[in-house]
Amino acid sequence: MSRKIYPDAASALAGITFDGMTVMSGGFGLCGIPENLIVALRDSGAKNLTVIGNNVGCDHHGMWLVLANNQIKKVLASYVGENKILEQRYMSGEIEIEFNPQGTLAERIRAGGAGIPAFYTRTGYGTKVAEGKETRQFPNPDGTLDWYVMETGLTADISLVKAWKADTEGNLVYRKTARNFNPMIATAGRITIAEVEEIVQPGELDPNQIHTPGIFVQRLVKGTNYVKHIERVTTRPRATEGGNQ
Amino acid sequence: MSRKIYPDAASALAGITFDGMTVMSGGFGLCGIPENLIVALRDSGAKNLTVIGNNVGCDHHGMWLVLANNQIKKVLASYVGENKILEQRYMSGEIEIEFNPQGTLAERIRAGGAGIPAFYTRTGYGTKVAEGKETRQFPNPDGTLDWYVMETGLTADISLVKAWKADTEGNLVYRKTARNFNPMIATAGRITIAEVEEIVQPGELDPNQIHTPGIFVQRLVKGTNYVKHIERVTTRPRATEGGNQ
Amino acid sequence: MAWTRDEMAARAAKELRDGYYVNLGIGIPTLVANMIPDGMTVTLQSENGMLGMGPFPYEGEQDADLINAGKQTITELPQTSYFSSADSFGMIRGGHIQLSILGGMQVSEKGDLANWMVPGKMIKGMGGAMDLVAGVPRVVVVMDHREKGGDSKFKKACSLPLTGKGVVDLLITDLAVFEIDRRGGGAVLTEMAPGVTLDELRQATEADFRVALQG
Amino acid sequence: MAWTRDEMAARAAKELRDGYYVNLGIGIPTLVANMIPDGMTVTLQSENGMLGMGPFPYEGEQDADLINAGKQTITELPQTSYFSSADSFGMIRGGHIQLSILGGMQVSEKGDLANWMVPGKMIKGMGGAMDLVAGVPRVVVVMDHREKGGDSKFKKACSLPLTGKGVVDLLITDLAVFEIDRRGGGAVLTEMAPGVTLDELRQATEADFRVALQG
C-alpha cells in the first residue's frame, strides 16, 4: 500500500527526468507550489525543459530556481511578472513564452488529463491569443451566434503538485486557495508526483472529501522545511484591546 | 442570507416551469435523485418536456412519475432500462430518445455549465453515436493520430439536483455515490433548484470541502419523506456470531 | 471441453497486475473481483463515481447512497474516494484506468466491439461502455464464442451496431483466447480450452486468426 | 472637477445588486469591496479559487495558503467555498458571475478592451482578464479618461492589443460614465463629473458617443 511513497523529493524524481521533457507544476504565484520537488528538479539538472504552470515563480522563489539554473527553454503561463531573469531571457529571445489566458490554461490542462484533445472557448476571440487558431461560431441558447476559439488539451511528462494531506494510496486533499491548478495538473502528467505536508493512513481522510483520487498520483513524498513565502502580506490593524472602555 | 430557501418543493418550482422547457435531473438510476422536486415537477403539469439525465427513473420511481403523467417529449440519457412505459412510447414513436454515452453526457453537461460550446472525444467514434457529427483527427503525445467526435455543451431551463447537506447560501455537499451527475447538472441550469436532507448555517460546512458552491444554486429546499428506493439490494450473509468457537 | 464462466473469469483475472486500477463490467467480468491474487493490490473503479469498491454489504447494512454501476449495493474500503460522473469519465477517457474487462455481443478480428444494441429490439442504451472502450488503454472482452444458435460471435466484421471501433486487445471466450491488434494487424490465437481442437475452433469461428499457442 | 479614485469606485459600486456574485480586478476595482451598501449581500469571487472573499487578516494572522488573485493575503467568511482554477473559470466562462469590474488601458466605442500588453514593453501576461471579459455577462471598466500625456483612452478603436472584442458594457472614467453596446450599437454618455462640460469631454475623448445624461 505504501509503494507510492518516496523518502524525499530527490528520490521521487530519480530516474524519470530527462532533457527536453515537459513539466507541469501546480501553484498560483507562490501559493500551493511544490517547493521540495522544484528544488529536486533543479538539482536533477534536466535541461531544455518546457514548463507549464500559471506562473514561473518570482525572484528567488519557486520555479525561478529552475529558471535561474538555465534549465528552461519554453514556458506556458498566464502571468510571469515579478521575475527579472525571465524578463531578460524573454526579451533576449533565450526563452519562449506562450501566454495563455488563465482559464484557458486551466481548462487545457483539465482537458489533457480527461482525454479531451480540444475544446472551444469564447476567451481570447478577436485577440492575439486567437491568432493562428481555428475560430468558429456556435449558437447561444437564444439562437444568436457567438465566436469561439479552439484550444487543445495539454499533458506533461511529469506533473509536480503540492497538497496538504495524502493517505498512503495517494488520495490528496488541498488547503484553501493553495488548491488552484494542482488538481488538474495531477491528472495531466504521465507521471504525477505529489508532495504533501502530512501523510496519513487510508481511512483517515473522508472518502467523500478527496480532492484528487490516488489513481492520479504515481509517486508521493512528504515535504520538509516549507517556506510558504507570501508575495504580498496585506493585513489590517487589530482593534486596540479594550478600545472604548 | 436565507432568501434562497423555499418551504417545499412545490413552491420552489412555482412560477418557473413552462411547457416545452428543458429539465436536467441528477442521479444514477435511483441513487441521488431529487425525489421531492420530481414529484413537484409532475404536479406542475408542465408538458412537452425535454428531460436530460443519465436515466429516466425506473418503473414507478423517480422521473418515471413525470413520464407516466405524459409530460415528456424527448429524453437525453445513457441508459433507460427497467422502464416499461418509456419502452412502449419509444417503440411507438411517442417519445424521442437521444442516447449519449455516459461519459459524453456527463462532459456535455459540464461543458454547458462551464461555457464550453463544444469539445472532442474519442468516445463513440465509428459508431452510431458519431453519425451526423463532425469527426476529425488529433495527434497523440507520441505523434500518432486518432479520430475524435465533436460533442456540444448542454444547458437547461431548470436543473434539479439532490444533495446531502446545504448551508443557507446554497453551498452543497453530496454523499457517496449519490453525487454522480448532480454537480455538473447544478452548473448547467439557468435556474438550479437543490433539494437536500439537511440545511445548516454558513460556517457549519468546511469551506475546503464544498462540492457545489452556492453560486450555482438559485433555490433550495429541504426534502421530506425520502424513499431512497434501491434497485438491486445485494448483500452477503453475516458470519455466524462466535462461529468457530 | 468449453471453459465455465468461472474459468473464463479466472483467465481474465490473469490480466490483472499489481497496482492496477481496473473497471469491471456486468456479468462474468464482475466475477473477476473475487479472483484478485493474494498480495496483489488492485483498485476497482465504478464509473458512477467511486474508486476502491468493496464487497456487498452485510444483510441489513445496505446504503441507498452507495451503489455500483450495476446499481447493486456495495461497500467502501479505507482507501475509497468518491467523485462526480464527469470526473469519473475524465479518469476513464484520459487513460488513467489501466484495464477494462467487459462483456460483448460480437467482436471483430480488427478489434471492433458490439455490445449495446440489437436492431429491432428495445435499446436500453450504452451506459458507460463506449467511454470505457474508447478511453481505457487495455480492453479485455469476455463472452461466449457462439450464439445459442451456433453462429460465431468472433467475426470478420460485426453485424451489430458498434460500441467501439478498434478497441479490443484481448478476447476470452469459452473456447479460446485471442490477442487482437487494435491497429488492424489481425487476431492471434494464444490459448484453447482443454479438449478443444484447432479444427473445431476454426469451425466455430468466423474471424480469421493466426495461431501462436503458448506453452 | 474630475472624480477621485474613491469616487470612481463609489460609482462602480452602484452597479452592485443584492445577491450578486462579483469579481473585482486589481487597483480601483478593489476599492469597491469596501463600498457594498449595508444590507446588500454581495459575494466576491477570487479567480484563483474562492467564493466569499473576506477582508485582509489581522496583523500576524496571514495564511500563505489563503490569497486572492492579486496575491494579497485575505480571510475567509462563514459562507466561503474553495475550488480549483478549472472550476473557478468554469464559473466565470459559464456566465455564473454576474458582474466583473476591472481596470483598463484603452476602451473602444464598440466595447473592445485593451488592458494586458504594450508592444515593446515586457509582457507580464493577461492572467484571468481575458476569461473574465469573455465570460461575465456584465463588464464594467474603471480607468482614467486620458493618458498622462493627455491622449484619450476611450477610443474609436483600441491601438493596443485587445483583451476582448465587444466585451465592455459600462465605462467609468474620472470624467464621465458611458454605456456601451457590445453588439456595435455605440456609446452613450450618461453622467459627467461635477464641473466637467460637454465641450471639455468631447475634447478629451476620441470615441464617438451620443448624449443621454441622467437626472
Side-chain angles (χ1 to χ4, degrees):
Chain A
M1 298 236 291
S2 60
R3 82 196 70 192
K4 290 182 179 179
I5 299 176
Y6 285 71
D8 53 39
S11 58
L13 272 173
I16 56 173
T17 61
F18 58 93
D19 291 353
M21 70 177 181
T22 297
V23 182
M24 284 185 191
S25 181
F28 180 88
L30 299 177
C31 180
I33 60 170
E35 297 185 14
N36 288 267
L37 291 169
I38 287 170
V39 169
L41 179 63
R42 180 197 62 191
D43 295 345
S44 79
K47 292 211 181 313
N48 292 318
L49 304 178
T50 295
V51 171
I52 303 175
N54 191 54
N55 318 89
V56 196
C58 67
D59 296 343
H60 309 292
H61 297 284
M63 199 53 84
W64 181 93
L65 301 173
V66 179
L67 178 73
N69 199 34
N70 306 314
Q71 293 171 266
I72 300 182
K73 176 186 69 176
K74 183 177 177 181
V75 161
L76 280 79
S78 90
Y79 185 83
V80 299
E82 292 78 63
N83 195 323
K84 288 199 184 62
I85 293 180
L86 184 59
E87 182 166 347
Q88 290 158 7
R89 296 195 186 160
Y90 176 57
M91 297 305 263
S92 71
E94 286 167 90
I95 282 186
E96 181 187 349
I97 304 180
E98 181 190 312
F99 286 101
N100 282 252
Q102 195 173 140
T104 296
L105 185 64
E107 189 67 14
R108 291 183 72 188
I109 297 169
R110 180 196 176 271
I116 305 286
F119 61 90
Y120 294 89
T121 174
R122 196 181 291 136
T123 302
Y125 176 74
T127 76
K128 275 186 183 299
V129 162
E131 284 175 14
K133 292 177 186 164
E134 177 179 320
T135 57
R136 63 196 277 177
Q137 289 180 298
F138 289 99
N140 296 310
D142 67 1
T144 59
L145 293 170
D146 270 323
W147 284 96
Y148 295 83
V149 185
M150 190 179 87
E151 298 281 358
T152 55
L154 293 171
T155 56
D157 295 305
I158 296 181
S159 280
L160 308 179
V161 302
K162 160 69 171 58
W164 181 28
K165 294 181 185 178
D167 67 18
T168 56
E169 295 285 319
N171 289 311
L172 304 182
V173 175
Y174 306 96
R175 185 168 176 274
K176 303 184 187 271
T177 58
R179 191 181 320 183
N180 56 65
F181 276 72
N182 283 295
M184 297 80 75
I185 286 180
T187 69
R190 196 173 54 77
I191 299 173
T192 291
I193 312 174
E195 70 167 85
V196 299
E197 297 177 43
E198 187 183 354
I199 299 177
V200 302
Q201 290 303 307
E204 294 187 49
L205 300 177
D206 181 349
N208 222 21
Q209 299 292 8
I210 305 296
H211 294 137
T212 293
I215 190 173
F216 295 113
V217 177
Q218 281 72 49
R219 298 180 177 208
L220 180 63
V221 64
K222 184 174 181 307
T224 56
N225 302 317
Y226 280 105
V227 176
K228 290 195 179 184
H229 183 81
I230 299 176
E231 290 183 64
R232 293 180 195 160
V233 177
T234 46
T235 58
R236 58 187 155 139
R238 197 178 293 273
T240 312
E241 273 184 74
N244 279 337
Q245 286 185 0
Chain B
M1 301 235 291
S2 60
R3 83 197 66 192
K4 290 182 178 178
I5 299 176
Y6 285 72
D8 53 38
S11 59
L13 271 173
I16 56 172
T17 60
F18 58 93
D19 291 353
M21 71 177 180
T22 297
V23 182
M24 283 185 193
S25 182
F28 180 90
L30 299 177
C31 180
I33 60 170
E35 296 185 17
N36 288 268
L37 291 169
I38 288 171
V39 169
L41 178 64
R42 180 198 60 191
D43 295 346
S44 79
K47 290 211 181 314
N48 291 319
L49 305 178
T50 295
V51 172
I52 302 175
N54 191 55
N55 318 89
V56 196
C58 67
D59 296 344
H60 309 291
H61 297 285
M63 199 54 83
W64 180 93
L65 300 172
V66 179
L67 177 75
N69 199 34
N70 306 314
Q71 295 171 265
I72 300 181
K73 175 187 69 175
K74 183 178 176 180
V75 161
L76 280 79
S78 89
Y79 186 84
V80 299
E82 290 80 63
N83 194 323
K84 287 201 186 58
I85 293 180
L86 183 59
E87 182 167 348
Q88 288 158 9
R89 295 195 187 160
Y90 175 57
M91 297 304 263
S92 71
E94 286 168 89
I95 282 186
E96 180 187 350
I97 304 180
E98 180 190 312
F99 287 101
N100 283 252
Q102 195 173 138
T104 295
L105 185 64
E107 190 67 16
R108 291 183 72 187
I109 297 168
R110 179 196 176 271
I116 306 285
F119 61 89
Y120 293 89
T121 174
R122 198 181 291 136
T123 301
Y125 175 72
T127 76
K128 275 186 182 299
V129 162
E131 283 174 15
K133 292 177 186 162
E134 177 180 319
T135 57
R136 63 196 277 179
Q137 288 179 298
F138 289 99
N140 296 310
D142 68 1
T144 58
L145 294 169
D146 268 324
W147 283 96
Y148 295 83
V149 184
M150 191 178 85
E151 298 281 358
T152 55
L154 293 171
T155 57
D157 295 305
I158 296 180
S159 280
L160 308 179
V161 301
K162 160 69 171 58
W164 182 27
K165 295 181 184 177
D167 67 19
T168 56
E169 296 285 318
N171 289 312
L172 305 182
V173 175
Y174 306 96
R175 186 168 175 274
K176 301 184 188 273
T177 57
R179 190 181 320 183
N180 56 66
F181 276 73
N182 284 295
M184 296 81 75
I185 286 179
T187 69
R190 197 173 54 75
I191 300 173
T192 291
I193 313 174
E195 70 166 85
V196 300
E197 297 177 44
E198 186 183 355
I199 299 177
V200 303
Q201 291 304 307
E204 293 188 50
L205 300 177
D206 181 349
N208 222 21
Q209 300 292 8
I210 304 297
H211 293 137
T212 292
I215 191 171
F216 295 113
V217 177
Q218 281 72 50
R219 298 180 176 208
L220 180 63
V221 65
K222 185 175 180 306
T224 55
N225 302 317
Y226 280 104
V227 176
K228 291 197 180 182
H229 183 80
I230 299 175
E231 289 182 64
R232 291 181 196 159
V233 177
T234 45
T235 58
R236 57 187 155 140
R238 197 179 293 273
T240 313
E241 275 184 73
N244 279 337
Q245 286 185 0
Chain C
M1 208 177 65
W3 281 315
T4 64
R5 286 166 54 92
D6 275 339
E7 286 166 335
M8 291 162 74
R11 176 58 189 84
K14 288 189 185 170
E15 299 301 309
L16 301 172
R17 298 288 176 275
D18 195 28
Y20 264 21
Y21 292 86
V22 177
N23 186 292
L24 300 176
I26 293 165
I28 298 178
T30 301
L31 302 175
V32 175
N34 303 318
M35 297 175 176
I36 300 169
D38 283 344
M40 186 183 280
T41 302
V42 170
T43 306
L44 300 179
Q45 200 242 22
S46 190
E47 65 264 30
N48 54 320
M50 181 186 199
L51 265 175
M53 189 164 40
F56 293 154
Y58 289 121
E59 287 167 13
E61 294 187 358
Q62 61 270 20
D63 180 341
D65 290 339
L66 180 43
I67 65 171
N68 64 17
K71 291 159 191 167
Q72 299 171 313
T73 47
I74 48 166
T75 55
E76 67 185 29
L77 300 171
Q79 69 270 29
T80 292
S81 58
Y82 300 105
F83 34 84
S84 73
S85 299
D87 286 347
S88 180
F89 283 94
M91 210 174 270
I92 288 167
R93 222 177 19 235
H96 303 282
I97 305 285
Q98 278 99 350
L99 177 66
S100 171
I101 303 176
L102 70 172
M105 294 174 180
Q106 294 179 344
V107 170
S108 85
E109 63 194 45
K110 290 179 177 164
D112 299 346
L113 170 67
N115 74 349
W116 77 285
M117 74 173 280
V118 178
K121 288 202 182 174
M122 175 61 194
I123 310 170
K124 293 188 171 184
M126 70 291 283
M130 283 194 183
D131 305 281
L132 281 160
V133 300
V136 176
R138 186 160 174 82
V139 171
V140 174
V141 172
V142 182
M143 68 178 190
D144 286 339
H145 202 94
R146 291 160 294 194
E147 305 283 357
K148 286 190 180 112
D151 284 355
S152 173
K153 298 172 69 171
F154 183 31
K155 304 182 86 71
K156 291 190 191 304
C158 296
S159 56
L160 294 173
L162 296 186
T163 305
K165 197 174 166 62
V167 295
V168 179
D169 299 287
L170 191 77
L171 170 62
I172 299 170
T173 75
D174 53 334
L175 299 185
V177 178
F178 302 89
E179 283 176 5
I180 301 177
D181 178 1
R182 288 179 179 223
R183 301 261 169 189
V188 177
L189 171 69
T190 58
E191 298 165 53
M192 284 194 293
V196 176
T197 69
L198 192 54
D199 274 355
E200 285 167 353
L201 190 65
R202 288 202 192 278
Q203 283 286 336
T205 308
E206 182 192 307
D208 281 330
F209 58 85
R210 301 190 298 283
V211 180
L213 289 166
Q214 294 169 345
Chain D
M1 207 177 67
W3 281 316
T4 63
R5 287 165 53 94
D6 274 339
E7 286 167 335
M8 290 162 75
R11 175 60 189 81
K14 288 189 185 172
E15 299 301 309
L16 301 172
R17 298 288 177 273
D18 195 27
Y20 263 21
Y21 292 86
V22 177
N23 186 292
L24 300 176
I26 294 166
I28 298 177
T30 301
L31 302 175
V32 175
N34 303 319
M35 299 175 174
I36 300 168
D38 283 344
M40 186 183 283
T41 301
V42 171
T43 305
L44 300 179
Q45 201 242 22
S46 191
E47 65 264 30
N48 54 320
M50 182 186 198
L51 266 176
M53 191 166 37
F56 293 154
Y58 290 122
E59 288 166 14
E61 293 187 359
Q62 61 270 18
D63 180 340
D65 291 339
L66 181 42
I67 65 171
N68 65 17
K71 291 160 193 167
Q72 299 172 313
T73 48
I74 49 166
T75 55
E76 67 184 29
L77 300 170
Q79 69 270 30
T80 292
S81 58
Y82 300 105
F83 34 83
S84 73
S85 299
D87 286 348
S88 180
F89 284 93
M91 209 174 268
I92 289 168
R93 221 177 21 234
H96 303 281
I97 305 286
Q98 278 100 350
L99 178 66
S100 172
I101 303 177
L102 70 172
M105 294 175 180
Q106 295 179 342
V107 169
S108 86
E109 64 194 44
K110 291 180 177 163
D112 299 345
L113 170 67
N115 74 348
W116 76 285
M117 74 173 279
V118 178
K121 288 200 182 175
M122 174 61 194
I123 309 168
K124 293 188 172 185
M126 68 292 281
M130 284 193 182
D131 306 281
L132 281 160
V133 300
V136 176
R138 186 161 174 82
V139 172
V140 175
V141 171
V142 182
M143 68 178 190
D144 286 340
H145 201 93
R146 290 161 295 194
E147 304 284 355
K148 285 189 181 114
D151 283 356
S152 172
K153 297 172 69 170
F154 184 29
K155 305 181 86 72
K156 291 189 192 302
C158 296
S159 56
L160 295 173
L162 296 186
T163 305
K165 198 174 167 62
V167 295
V168 180
D169 299 287
L170 192 76
L171 170 63
I172 299 170
T173 75
D174 53 334
L175 300 185
V177 178
F178 301 89
E179 283 176 6
I180 302 176
D181 179 1
R182 289 178 179 224
R183 300 261 170 190
V188 177
L189 172 70
T190 58
E191 298 166 52
M192 284 193 294
V196 175
T197 68
L198 193 54
D199 275 354
E200 286 168 351
L201 191 65
R202 287 202 193 278
Q203 282 287 334
T205 308
E206 181 192 308
D208 281 331
F209 58 86
R210 301 190 301 281
V211 180
L213 290 166
Q214 294 170 344

